[in-house]
Amino acid sequence: PNGELLTYRTTNREGYRHYHSNPKICLDCPLRSQCTSSKKALKIITRHVWEEDKEHVQEIRLTSWG
């Protein structure tokens, strides 16, 4: 919610990428309660490697051409 970028950490064997926030920034963030309830002030987002492609296909599907 505060516009901070999450950095890529790793991809697991199932094909999911893990993105993590910087706990130093999140610790003092006024919007932290909207983002995470982690005691370590860490936000983790997990996305499949094909997620961007699926979003692109969804955008095309919703057009008049699609």
Side-chain angles (χ1 to χ4, degrees), residues 1 5-9 18-29 32-46:
L5 294 177
L6 303 180
T7 57
Y8 168 75
R9 288 287 172 102
H18 298 279
Y19 299 88
H20 294 230
S21 66
N22 184 344
K24 294 177 184 177
I25 294 172
C26 294
L27 192 60
D28 297 325
C29 179
R32 181 173 149 202
S33 62
Q34 296 176 18
C35 193
T36 183
S37 59
S38 169
K39 293 183 190 266
K40 295 180 180 180
L42 183 66
K43 170 108 178 176
I44 301 171
I45 299 290
T46 304

Side-chain angles (χ1 to χ4, degrees), residues 27-63:
L27 192 60
D28 297 325
C29 179
L31 302 175
R32 181 173 149 202
S33 62
Q34 296 176 18
C35 193
T36 183
S37 59
S38 169
K39 293 183 190 266
K40 295 180 180 180
L42 183 66
K43 170 108 178 176
I44 301 171
I45 299 290
T46 304
R47 289 175 50 99
H48 195 272
V49 293
W50 293 342
E51 199 66 33
E52 281 186 43
D53 296 329
K54 290 174 17 183
E55 289 171 355
H56 181 68
V57 169
Q58 182 72 1
E59 289 173 8
I60 293 172
R61 186 183 71 83
L62 295 177
T63 63

